[in-house]
Amino acid sequence: MDSHALRLDGSAEGTLEWATAGRAHPGQSVSGDMHVVKAFHGGALVAVVDALGHGTEAEATARLAVATLEQYAHESPPDLAARCHRILVGSRGAAMSLASISWMDNTMTWLAIGDVEGRVFSSSGGRAPPPRALMTHGGIVGAGTLPGARPTVVPIAAGDVLVLATDGIRGDFAGGVRPSAPLQQIADELLAGFLKGTDDALV
């Protein structure tokens, strides 16, 4: 639950800061909601995995997905989703949101399957525009047929804030985000203020 900063390599360098806050399902000591932040040449992958259910089986499913995403972070979100889908067959399956950030052209390529929601809060001066809700697609990574969803390319700027939240967080969480606040404070406040308390949760 500490905040972090990541120095990226490549010809276009950037610093990516992030923070997390999470809680396991009541009565459980482990969570199936996990995150990935992994640098690659010229960019970084930011992802959240929400394995179905809770407890040790959900944790094992999420760890398998996370290890795969970390190993192949440089690949495109559709390729990553397909790779995870193959690896998670026979497991509980998972919801997954993938954001591949490129410092070369200041864009984020986004693909979400399942109900890990994402919002982008702009850093632009003056009156801040409303947050951008990022599209999600139905389906389960690792079960059935993976939807042939196309990723969305979103322009980003220095200081923008991306918030990812699993379904253990109420869907109206965007109203509780103060983009100018320290990132750890944002994560902690969202967990405290929007926690459902009926599932694993991660911001």
Side-chain angles (χ1 to χ4, degrees):
M1 295 182 54
D2 296 328
S3 55
H4 310 270
L6 178 69
R7 172 62 66 181
L8 305 176
D9 64 358
S11 59
E13 292 188 351
T15 299
L16 182 68
E17 299 178 21
W18 79 98
T20 62
R23 191 166 298 172
H25 185 284
Q28 299 289 337
S29 60
V30 295
S31 174
D33 291 5
M34 297 185 182
H35 73 282
V36 173
V37 180
K38 181 73 172 182
F40 55 82
H41 184 79
L45 175 70
V46 179
V48 167
V49 175
D50 179 356
L52 271 62
H54 50 81
T56 55
E57 289 187 26
E59 181 198 28
T61 297
R63 286 196 182 281
L64 184 57
V66 163
T68 302
L69 294 172
E70 288 180 338
Q71 183 175 356
Y72 299 99
H74 62 282
E75 294 186 351
S76 71
D79 287 347
L80 285 170
R83 188 181 289 278
C84 287
H85 187 68
R86 293 191 298 269
I87 288 174
L88 293 184
V89 168
S91 73
R92 289 191 169 196
M96 186 178 299
S97 287
L98 309 171
S100 184
I101 296 170
S102 169
W103 300 124
M104 302 291 186
D105 54 8
N106 293 322
T107 60
M108 177 181 72
T109 302
W110 168 267
L111 179 64
I113 298 171
D115 48 12
V116 177
E117 295 193 46
R119 301 286 189 277
V120 177
F121 296 81
S122 176
S123 63
S124 60
R127 185 174 179 178
R132 290 171 282 175
L134 300 171
M135 181 182 296
T136 61
H137 301 273
I140 300 171
V141 179
T145 301
L146 189 69
R150 291 185 177 182
T152 303
V153 179
V154 179
I156 57 173
D160 284 357
V161 176
L162 167 66
V163 178
L164 302 179
T166 64
D167 65 351
I169 301 295
R170 297 202 323 264
D172 59 344
F173 66 86
V177 176
R178 295 183 296 121
S180 61
L183 296 185
Q184 189 63 58
Q185 183 176 336
I186 293 174
D188 290 341
E189 289 178 350
L190 292 182
L191 182 68
F194 296 87
L195 179 71
K196 292 181 180 177
T198 57
D199 198 356
D200 296 336
L202 179 68
V203 177

